[in-house]
């Protein structure tokens, strides 16, 4: 008889998870209840599954609130009623309209108003009365409302502890301290499941109210099919037969394009896949993905297809991916098989500035009633919880910071305030905090999606479901991942710049040609990969050098073993060692050699987990896939995962595997948790890496300009400008007569764009180049002011950054001039001048800007100096004993070097301490790496950008040198000569 039950999905209000709600209801003998979370239906489908599994009758609904005010509760009579409720809420969410005081006319919904409601009631509408409101019925004629009264016992908390947690949640939601939370901001302390019989006892004088309540729930049946069914759009053409025929036609046509006319191996593989795809009813999924690619290609958009879908030769033939599964011996069953317990998906990457148009096409092509973006649920986590709890307790920031500082963990252990926070932390950890939007998931459904969820409208501006990918999967939806990344933007723009600047057209899809290009592979082997997708980080460049990586297949492996799980398990080191000495490999077991010889017995890919589970441990494909997904964090049932771990050991023992070997194999398998890639994923990354690498090798200037204009990658803007200069470009400061909004290139001359100037208004970033293009170069500062209407503050920014140096006047002269001009009214070009009057010229003393002054202006306005290098800014002339290229000749020796800071990376050690890895440039512009052990880091910490004196021991691993730092200090720079 509980018509108003809330879960944790009543965000920062409800306190119980749905499984906890159901368990508590069972314990109290409750046989039916209604889930009515506040302004959402996130948990309804999960609630139905949980209740059905436990033998309870579930009913779905939504509690509608405006601000803090309860308006009414909607209870679905059936599936159609749930759709009505979801559509009503969605309409107000998507159109950003406030909820009305009165519920609309529903056909399949019961409405329950609070007792304070004074309006007329429709046939399907009722009044809910709480047990503590029953005294209001005393002396009242109940004839008119007798059949309309129902018992309203809200459920938000489990007990007194739950109520205290609720108070903390409300305080966090309201961003105020606990003592300022008002009664109207919280639920009642009695809003919980009552002990068996107590609710009936409280309403004993009004038994008819209980009868009305029972009748209401009895008239509700959530007539959804039980179990997971395919809820996606079922066909592309309108019939399965036509889908099968079209997919076959497209695959065979693509087969000829990819492999020629007589490749029997490829033909056999295509036919096998087509059979499986049809049997598992995935023809429409492939065709819709193909259709999305067809549209984006027609718009000139470049894409990368990756993920497990790249295991499919049909996907390769449909140009969904550019990964050849035959060449890489990829495992189609990793993507799609009859035992697979979860839906497969394609990850399609677009340039960051093109994805939204592709998403818009999908919504228009497949109807907004059947299309939505996938949501996600962020939770209260770790330090963020401690901070939130500390804030609502009214603690000072310094004390909160001390509680989140791992260095003070020992001192905090006995702190009573910290203990209290930690207790609340334990209750709140992993609770849902807010709904958000998935990185790129799109759902395309057969039925209107509002049968299953209400829709939100996040800042993206596209309808978004109210649950995440895990729930989507359990309900029966397969997502299409339409993602974006800046690496594709680099490639796309570089190709265009090369055509404009060098009049050369590049077919960037000739990847196999790039892979066999000796010059490209030599560039790869050198680790000179700054700006290149996925292979530019210090760790990746170091790994490439250690592997002497000069081919695609090795790069595919490198793309996976760089992942933390492989690295931390020691398997990355094993792989590198055996890569240099394959004859020394000692396989743990003959099955390991049979399955992993390609990777020297080291598990590198997700597919390896599946292969070992099946062939070494004797598990079936279903369990192997669930276990693999559990490793990657995509399977949420810990109980099920633990069962499969036990199964791994039991089945391996049945096959007679030695216990010690099983234990070591499991150690290697389990180290993959959450980090390994599928081989197809790594292969897709390596394809894009080769495309970037080709451009960097042959067209480094245009490529680096493209990197800058797509907002870089792993490094800072100044590092990419350094790479530009190394490539022979002459990099100029912004100039009103040569710069565009973004960086441009003409020949070897590169002009920085206005976008990078700190404080310059977006209006003028666009207007200055547009006006110059329309009406010619600017003739003077006054001409610029007249034609653009720029104000004093903005003009000063341009002067100080050097953008008016074409005038031949120093910055100081121009600053005098702009103040004189702005002191009198300067007419814009839109104002008619009867007489053209020249501005008076004043005789000024010689005002010269020094190079050091200019460098400080650039530091302030661009974030880096261009007129001087960071080394030129140092107070000392000392540049170190040796250069980066000479390090390999000093292995085992202690050296002093001066390095320009590039980046740093902290890595926790097994004992909880922190190591740091640094990357620097020497005075010649060459990279070197540093290692900082915990005992030296505290004494000699990193202190941000600048140049450092580095002292330490040179070590090397497989020909890749680095410095183990003993002493380390940031060097002082010349004082800013500009006096404000």
């Amino acid at each position: 008889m509980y018509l108003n039950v809330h879960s944790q999905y009543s965000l920062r209000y409800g306190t119980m998870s749905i499984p906890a709600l159901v368990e508590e209801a069972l314990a109290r003998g409750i046989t039916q209840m209604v889930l009515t979370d506040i302004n959402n239906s996130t948990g309804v489908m999960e609630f139905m599954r949980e209740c059905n599994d436990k033998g309870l009758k579930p009913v779905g609904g939504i509690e509608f609130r405006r601000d803090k005010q309860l308006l009414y509760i909607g209870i679905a009579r059936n599936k159609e009623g749930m759709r009505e409720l979801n559509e009503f809420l969605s309409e107000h969410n998507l159109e950003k309209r406030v909820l009305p005081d009165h519920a609309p006319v529903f056909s399949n919904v019961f409405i329950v108003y609070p007792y304070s409601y004074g309006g007329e009631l429709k046939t399907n509408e009722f009044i809910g009365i709480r047990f503590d409101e029953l005294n209001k019925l005393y002396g009242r004629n109940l004839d008119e409302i007798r059949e309309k009264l129902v018992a309203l016992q809200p459920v938000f908390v489990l007990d007194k502890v739950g109520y205290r947690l609720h108070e903390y949640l409300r305080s966090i939601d309201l961003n105020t301290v606990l003592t300022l939370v008002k009664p109207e901001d919280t639920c009642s302390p009695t809003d919980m499941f009552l002990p068996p019989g107590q609710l009936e006892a409280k309403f004993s004088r009004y038994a008819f109210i209980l009868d009305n309540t029972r009748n209401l729930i009895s008239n509700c049946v959530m007539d959804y099919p039980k179990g997971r069914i395919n809820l996606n759009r079922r066909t592309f053409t309108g019939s399965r037969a036509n889908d099968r025929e079209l997919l076959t036609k497209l695959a065979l046509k693509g087969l000829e394009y990819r492999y020629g006319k007589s490749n029997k191996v490829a033909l056999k593989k295509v036919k096998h896949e087509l059979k499986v795809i049809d049997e598992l009813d995935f023809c429409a999924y492939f065709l819709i993905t193909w259709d999305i690619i067809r549209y984006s290609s027609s718009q000139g958009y470049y894409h990368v297809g990756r993920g497990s879908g790249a295991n499919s030769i049909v996907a390769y033939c449909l140009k969904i991916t550019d990964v050849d599964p035959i060449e890489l011996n990829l495992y189609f069953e990793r993507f799609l098989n009859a035992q697979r317990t979860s839906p497969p998906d394609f990850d399609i990457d677009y340039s960051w500035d093109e994805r939204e148009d592709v998403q818009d096409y999908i919504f228009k092509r497949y109807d907004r009633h059947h299309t939505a973006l996938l949501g996600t649920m962020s939770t209260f986590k770790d330090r963020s919880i401690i901070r939130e709890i500390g804030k609502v307790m009214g603690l000072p920031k310094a004390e909160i910071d001390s509680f989140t500082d791992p260095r003070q963990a020992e001192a905090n252990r006995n702190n009573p305030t910290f203990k209290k926070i930690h207790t609340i932390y334990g209750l709140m950890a992993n609770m849902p905090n807010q709904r958000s939007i998935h990185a790129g998931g799109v759902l395309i459904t057969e039925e209107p999606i509002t049968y299953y969820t209400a829709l939100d409208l996040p800042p993206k501006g596209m309808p978004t479901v109210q649950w995440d990918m895990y729930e989507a999967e359990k309900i029966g939806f397969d997502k299409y991942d339409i993602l974006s990344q800046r690496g594709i933007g680099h490639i796309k723009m570089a190709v265009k710049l090369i055509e404009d600047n060098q009049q050369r057209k590049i077919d960037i899809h000739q990847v196999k040609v790039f892979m066999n290009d000796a010059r490209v592979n030599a560039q790869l082997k050198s680790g000179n990969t700054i700006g290149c997708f996925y292979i530019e980080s210090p760790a990746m460049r170091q790994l490439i050098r250690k592997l002497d990586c000069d081919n695609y297949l090795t790069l595919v492996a490198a793309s996976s073993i760089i992942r933390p799980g492989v690295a931390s398990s020691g398997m990355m080191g094993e792989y590198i060692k055996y890569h240099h000495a394959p004859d020394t490999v000692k396989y743990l077991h003959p099955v390991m050699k049979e399955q992993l010889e390609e990777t020297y017995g080291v598990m590198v890919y997700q597919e390896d987990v599946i292969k070992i589970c099946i062939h070494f441990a004797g598990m079936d494909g279903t369990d192997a896939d669930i276990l693999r997904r559990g490793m990657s964090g995509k399977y949420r049932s810990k109980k099920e995962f633990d069962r499969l771990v036990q199964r791994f050991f039991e089945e391996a023992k049945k096959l007679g595997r030695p216990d010690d070997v099983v234990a070591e194999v499991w150690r290697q398998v389990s180290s993959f948790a959450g980090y390994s890639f599928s081989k197809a994923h790594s292969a897709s990354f390596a394809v894009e890496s080769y495309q970037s690498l080709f451009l960097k090798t042959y067209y480094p200037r245009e490529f680096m300009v493209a990197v800058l204009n797509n907002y870089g990658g792993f490094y800072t803007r100044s590092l990419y400008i350094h790479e530009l200069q190394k490539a022979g470009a002459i990099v100029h400061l912004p100039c009103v007569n040569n710069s565009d909004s973004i960086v441009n290139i003409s020949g070897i001359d590169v002009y920085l764009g206005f976008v990078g100037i700190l404080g310059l208004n977006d209006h003028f970033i666009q207007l200055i180049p547009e006006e110059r293009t329309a009406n010619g170069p600017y003739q003077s500062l006054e001409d610029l002011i007249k034609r653009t209407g720029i104000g004093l503050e903005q003009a000063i920014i341009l002067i100080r950054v050097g953008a008016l140096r074409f005038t031949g006047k120093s910055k100081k002269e121009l600053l005098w001039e702009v103040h004189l001009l702005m002191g009198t009214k300067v007419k814009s070009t839109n104002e008619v001048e009867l007489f053209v009057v020249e501005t008076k010229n004043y005789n000024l003393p010689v005002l010269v800007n020094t190079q050091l002054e200019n460098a400080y202006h650039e530091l302030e306005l661009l974030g880096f100096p261009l007129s001087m290098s960071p080394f030129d800014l140092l107070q000392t002339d000392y540049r170190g004993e040796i250069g980066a290229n000479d390090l390999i000749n000093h292995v085992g020796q202690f050296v002093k070097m001066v390095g320009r800071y590039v980046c740093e990376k902290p890595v926790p050690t097994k004992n909880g301490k922190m190591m740091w890895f640094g990357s620097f440039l020497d005075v010649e512009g060459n990279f070197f790496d540093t290692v900082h052990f915990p005992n030296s880091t505290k004494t000699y910490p990193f202190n941000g950008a600048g140049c450092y004196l580095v002292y330490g021991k040179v070590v090397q691993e497989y020909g890749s040198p680095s410095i183990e730092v003993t002493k380390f200090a940031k060097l002082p720079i010349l004082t800013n000569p500009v006096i404000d």
Side-chain angles (χ1 to χ4, degrees):
M1 287 190 294
Y2 287 85
L3 301 177
N4 191 207
V5 177
H6 304 82
S7 73
Q8 293 176 344
Y9 295 124
S10 289
L11 301 177
R12 297 178 297 280
Y13 211 112
T15 60
M16 287 185 281
S17 68
I18 284 175
L21 275 175
V22 174
E23 288 296 333
E24 290 301 325
L26 281 171
R28 287 162 172 75
I30 297 165
T31 58
Q32 53 187 5
M33 58 180 172
V34 187
L35 183 72
T36 56
D37 278 315
I38 298 170
N39 292 344
N40 77 84
S41 57
T42 303
V44 169
M45 303 307 294
E46 179 186 351
F47 177 67
M48 285 196 293
R49 280 197 312 276
E50 196 72 22
C51 286
N52 289 333
D53 287 347
K54 299 296 172 61
L56 273 71
K57 176 182 176 179
V59 178
I62 299 175
E63 179 178 305
F64 295 94
R65 290 196 182 203
R66 188 174 61 230
D67 298 324
K68 301 172 187 177
Q69 180 189 1
L70 168 61
L71 300 174
Y72 32 81
I73 301 159
I75 299 172
R77 290 179 55 197
N78 47 36
K79 181 180 175 182
E80 289 297 329
M82 203 65 232
R83 180 186 60 79
E84 286 184 89
L85 288 171
N86 284 332
E87 288 186 353
F88 170 65
L89 181 58
S90 299
E91 177 186 342
H92 288 79
N93 287 344
L94 300 182
E95 296 179 12
K96 297 183 178 179
R97 290 194 285 118
V98 296
L99 291 165
D101 291 337
H102 308 287
V105 176
F106 288 116
S107 299
N108 295 280
V109 171
F110 294 121
I111 293 294
V112 177
Y113 286 98
Y115 185 74
S116 58
Y117 181 73
E120 292 187 12
L121 297 174
K122 306 182 186 73
T123 305
N124 65 320
E125 295 180 340
F126 297 83
I127 294 291
I129 187 165
R130 302 164 59 102
F131 69 79
D132 54 9
E133 295 175 317
L134 288 172
N135 61 315
K136 295 178 181 179
L137 298 180
Y138 182 76
R140 178 176 176 177
N141 184 351
L142 300 181
D143 291 343
E144 292 184 1
I145 60 169
R146 187 180 183 87
E147 295 181 357
K148 291 294 187 179
L149 286 172
V150 292
L152 188 60
Q153 174 57 34
V155 175
F156 283 101
V157 301
L158 173 62
D159 49 26
K160 289 182 179 179
V161 174
Y163 184 73
R164 189 59 175 157
L165 172 61
H166 166 77
E167 289 181 310
Y168 274 92
L169 290 170
R170 298 305 303 132
S171 189
I172 290 171
D173 186 54
L174 297 167
N175 194 28
T176 189
V177 292
L178 282 163
T179 53
L180 295 181
V181 175
K182 301 171 184 175
E184 61 265 29
D185 295 327
T186 66
C187 70
S188 167
T190 61
D191 284 351
M192 60 181 71
F193 289 122
L194 300 180
Q198 194 173 112
L199 184 62
E200 289 82 355
K202 289 182 181 298
F203 280 88
S204 59
R205 293 184 60 191
Y206 301 95
F208 67 91
I209 295 179
L210 297 177
D211 292 338
N212 293 343
T213 309
R214 292 189 190 95
N215 290 337
L216 188 153
I217 297 183
S218 297
N219 279 299
C220 299
V221 179
M222 302 301 282
D223 49 346
Y224 287 81
K226 294 182 181 180
R228 188 186 191 279
I229 61 171
N230 183 0
L231 297 173
N232 308 287
R233 181 174 168 122
R234 303 300 298 274
T235 68
F236 177 74
T237 61
S239 78
R240 280 195 62 180
N242 289 341
D243 279 5
R244 181 172 58 248
E245 183 180 340
L246 177 58
L247 184 60
T248 302
K249 178 181 176 181
L250 292 171
L252 294 176
K253 182 180 178 182
L255 175 69
E256 185 175 334
Y257 169 78
R258 293 293 197 183
Y259 296 101
K261 293 185 177 181
S262 56
N263 191 316
K264 294 181 179 178
V265 173
L267 178 60
K268 181 180 179 182
K269 198 168 175 66
V270 166
K271 287 183 176 179
H272 166 70
E273 285 194 17
L274 286 170
K275 182 173 182 292
V276 174
I277 291 165
D278 180 48
E279 288 173 350
L280 297 181
D281 197 15
F282 271 98
C283 289
Y285 187 87
F286 272 78
L287 288 170
I288 291 171
T289 306
W290 165 79
D291 177 59
I292 294 167
I293 301 300
R294 177 177 61 171
Y295 167 76
S296 62
S297 298
S298 74
Q299 301 301 303
Y301 302 158
Y302 172 53
H303 78 278
V304 171
R306 56 179 178 84
S308 62
N311 286 273
S312 166
I313 193 171
V314 172
Y316 182 55
C317 291
L318 266 58
K319 299 183 183 178
I320 294 170
T321 77
D322 280 322
V323 175
D324 184 344
I326 293 179
E327 178 186 21
L328 293 174
N329 190 27
L330 294 180
Y331 180 41
F332 174 66
E333 286 69 22
R334 161 67 179 82
F335 175 61
L336 196 62
N337 62 74
Q339 288 79 37
R340 179 160 178 152
T341 58
S342 59
D345 60 10
F346 290 110
D347 295 337
I348 311 297
D349 285 332
Y350 289 98
S351 176
W352 62 275
D353 56 348
E354 294 172 347
R355 176 177 69 160
E356 199 166 309
D357 181 63
V358 176
Q359 290 174 324
D360 188 56
Y361 168 77
I362 295 170
F363 274 84
K364 289 174 180 173
R365 170 71 172 80
Y366 296 100
D367 191 295
R368 285 183 173 265
H369 296 291
H370 298 262
T371 311
L373 299 184
L374 189 59
T376 188
M377 190 69 68
S378 66
T379 59
F380 289 107
K381 289 182 180 177
D382 306 329
R383 294 185 185 182
S384 66
I385 307 179
I386 293 174
R387 288 192 177 280
E388 293 289 352
I389 296 170
K391 280 164 57 180
V392 302
M393 288 173 66
L395 301 180
K397 183 179 183 300
E399 187 174 3
I400 296 171
D401 289 343
S402 72
F403 290 152
T404 59
D405 187 345
R407 293 172 296 184
Q408 299 190 43
E410 190 65 34
N412 288 332
R413 192 164 288 131
N414 296 317
N415 184 310
T417 304
F418 181 77
K419 285 182 177 180
K420 183 175 182 180
I421 289 177
H422 208 265
T423 300
I424 302 160
Y425 165 92
L427 297 171
M428 202 180 292
N430 296 317
M431 281 184 65
N433 182 21
Q434 60 184 14
R435 296 191 301 275
S436 186
I437 185 171
H438 185 269
V442 180
L443 303 179
I444 303 174
T445 66
E446 182 71 16
E447 297 176 291
I449 203 161
T450 45
Y451 277 114
Y452 302 93
T453 177
L455 300 169
D456 290 327
L457 190 69
K460 286 285 296 182
M462 294 182 180
T464 302
V465 299
Q466 293 189 327
W467 25 249
D468 61 18
M469 59 180 283
Y470 302 105
E471 183 62 12
E473 181 181 311
K474 289 179 179 178
I475 295 170
F477 294 108
D478 306 337
K479 64 182 169 65
Y480 299 80
D481 271 332
I482 309 300
L483 303 159
S484 70
Q485 49 148 290
R486 299 196 180 277
I488 294 176
H490 300 167
I491 293 169
K492 179 192 72 170
M493 180 173 280
V495 170
K496 179 69 167 60
L497 288 172
I498 292 163
E499 184 176 353
D500 293 344
N501 195 41
Q502 299 198 34
Q503 291 73 54
R504 294 187 183 182
K505 288 193 173 185
I506 304 298
D507 182 357
I508 201 63
H509 297 285
Q510 289 186 314
V511 180
K512 290 193 175 180
V513 175
F514 307 157
M515 292 174 182
N516 293 308
D517 188 303
R519 191 172 158 190
V520 172
N521 284 321
Q523 178 106 358
L524 173 62
K525 185 177 180 179
S526 73
N528 184 8
T529 54
I530 302 298
C532 297
F533 174 76
Y534 202 69
I535 56 173
E536 66 165 338
S537 71
M540 192 64 178
R541 289 187 299 105
Q542 198 173 73
L543 176 60
I544 286 168
R545 292 196 300 270
K546 288 178 183 178
L547 288 171
D548 289 330
C549 179
D550 62 356
N551 62 82
Y552 172 60
L553 293 179
T554 305
L555 185 58
V556 171
S559 297
S560 189
I561 65 173
I562 194 67
R563 303 293 287 180
V566 189
S568 64
S569 70
M571 287 191 282
M572 182 171 80
E574 290 289 292
Y575 183 91
I576 297 169
K577 179 176 75 173
Y578 291 133
H579 178 75
H580 289 281
D583 295 339
T584 65
V585 178
K586 294 180 180 179
Y587 293 96
L588 282 169
H589 191 275
V591 171
M592 301 296 279
K593 180 176 182 180
E594 175 188 315
Q595 297 299 324
L596 300 177
E597 190 167 14
E598 177 191 340
T599 55
Y600 318 117
V602 176
M603 275 178 284
V604 170
Y605 309 111
Q606 287 178 352
E607 287 86 346
D608 295 338
V609 173
I610 296 174
K611 287 192 288 186
I612 296 308
C613 288
I614 292 173
H615 298 287
F616 176 81
M619 299 175 75
D620 61 36
T622 300
D623 285 350
D625 188 52
I626 294 173
L627 193 61
R628 191 272 309 167
R629 286 174 62 77
M631 299 283 171
S632 61
K634 294 181 178 178
Y635 196 81
R636 293 191 295 183
S637 172
K638 185 178 186 304
K639 184 177 178 181
E640 177 71 0
F641 181 73
D642 290 344
R643 180 188 71 80
L644 291 174
V645 173
Q646 185 179 351
R647 180 94 185 275
F648 179 94
F649 283 89
E650 290 172 351
E651 295 300 315
K653 190 169 186 177
K654 288 179 185 176
L655 293 173
R657 314 298 191 209
D659 290 347
D660 58 335
V661 174
V662 174
E664 175 57 21
V665 170
W666 174 251
R667 185 192 71 79
Q668 294 186 16
V669 168
S670 61
S671 72
F672 264 44
Y675 298 110
S676 61
F677 274 177
S678 76
K679 188 176 183 180
H681 204 84
S682 296
S684 302
F685 274 15
V687 165
E688 190 176 342
S689 297
Y690 257 96
Q691 291 170 317
S692 297
L693 194 59
F694 169 80
L695 294 168
K696 182 176 175 66
T697 302
Y698 285 98
Y699 308 97
R701 292 186 288 271
E702 289 83 359
F703 177 70
M704 294 314 303
V705 169
V707 171
L708 283 164
N709 284 337
N710 284 273
Y711 306 101
F714 189 89
Y715 301 99
T716 62
R717 196 168 181 81
S718 61
L719 193 277
Y720 294 119
I721 288 169
H722 166 77
E723 285 289 306
L724 249 178
Q725 293 170 323
K726 276 179 62 178
I730 301 171
V731 181
H732 300 273
L733 290 165
C735 173
V736 296
N737 275 340
N738 291 286
S739 291
D740 297 319
S741 59
I742 58 176
V743 182
N744 66 38
I745 181 169
S746 178
I748 64 172
D749 287 300
V750 172
Y751 279 87
L752 299 182
F754 297 118
V755 164
I757 302 174
L758 187 66
L760 189 61
N761 189 285
D762 287 344
H763 172 71
F764 294 110
I765 288 172
Q766 303 299 326
L767 177 61
I768 292 169
E770 287 173 1
E771 167 61 25
R772 185 186 70 229
T773 301
N775 297 305
Y778 299 102
Q779 301 302 310
S780 63
L781 171 59
E782 183 176 3
D783 187 38
L784 174 74
I785 295 170
K786 285 182 177 181
R787 289 165 58 180
T788 63
I790 195 167
L792 179 63
E793 181 184 333
Q794 296 286 291
I796 289 173
I797 289 173
L798 290 174
I799 291 168
R800 294 181 71 232
V801 84
L804 283 105
R805 60 191 180 280
F806 77 92
T807 63
K809 299 177 181 179
S810 73
K811 293 180 183 178
K812 291 175 181 175
E813 289 177 294
L814 289 167
L815 287 170
W816 272 99
E817 184 178 337
V818 75
H819 281 90
L820 290 170
L821 287 168
M822 293 299 185
T824 59
K825 182 169 171 58
V826 180
K827 294 182 174 65
S828 75
T829 50
N830 295 324
E831 296 180 62
V832 178
E833 291 185 274
L834 294 177
F835 304 98
V836 177
V837 180
E838 291 186 9
T839 304
K840 290 182 180 181
N841 291 314
Y842 295 86
N843 292 322
L844 297 172
V846 177
L847 301 172
V848 178
N849 280 81
T850 67
Q851 194 176 32
L852 184 58
E853 286 176 317
N854 289 336
Y856 266 100
H857 288 157
E858 293 153 21
L859 267 170
E860 178 189 344
L861 296 170
L862 298 176
F864 56 89
L866 193 63
S867 299
M868 298 174 69
S869 82
F871 290 96
D872 296 332
L873 286 171
L874 293 177
Q875 292 179 9
T876 177
D877 293 328
Y878 184 70
R879 298 294 180 260
E881 296 174 341
I882 62 171
N885 289 344
D886 198 30
L887 272 174
I888 196 66
N889 299 317
H890 293 77
V891 174
Q893 300 175 20
F894 283 84
V895 299
K896 285 182 183 178
M897 294 185 69
V898 174
R900 170 186 168 186
Y901 172 90
V902 174
C903 62
E904 66 192 74
K905 181 181 181 182
V907 176
T909 63
K910 290 181 180 178
N911 62 8
K913 295 183 178 180
M914 200 69 72
M915 284 186 67
W916 296 76
F917 295 87
S919 191
F920 295 85
L921 292 172
D922 69 8
V923 70
E924 300 297 327
N926 299 312
F927 282 91
F928 68 93
D929 299 311
T930 59
V931 181
H932 306 249
F933 290 103
N935 57 347
S936 68
T937 307
K938 285 184 181 179
T939 310
Y940 304 106
F942 284 90
N943 283 308
C947 292
Y948 288 74
L949 179 61
V950 180
Y951 175 75
K953 184 180 179 181
V954 181
V955 296
Q956 68 88 27
E957 190 175 18
Y958 300 104
S960 180
S962 59
I963 300 176
E964 291 182 352
V965 172
T966 304
K967 294 181 180 180
F968 181 68
K970 187 174 179 179
L971 294 171
I973 61 175
L974 296 168
T975 304
N976 185 352
V978 178
I979 299 173
D980 293 330

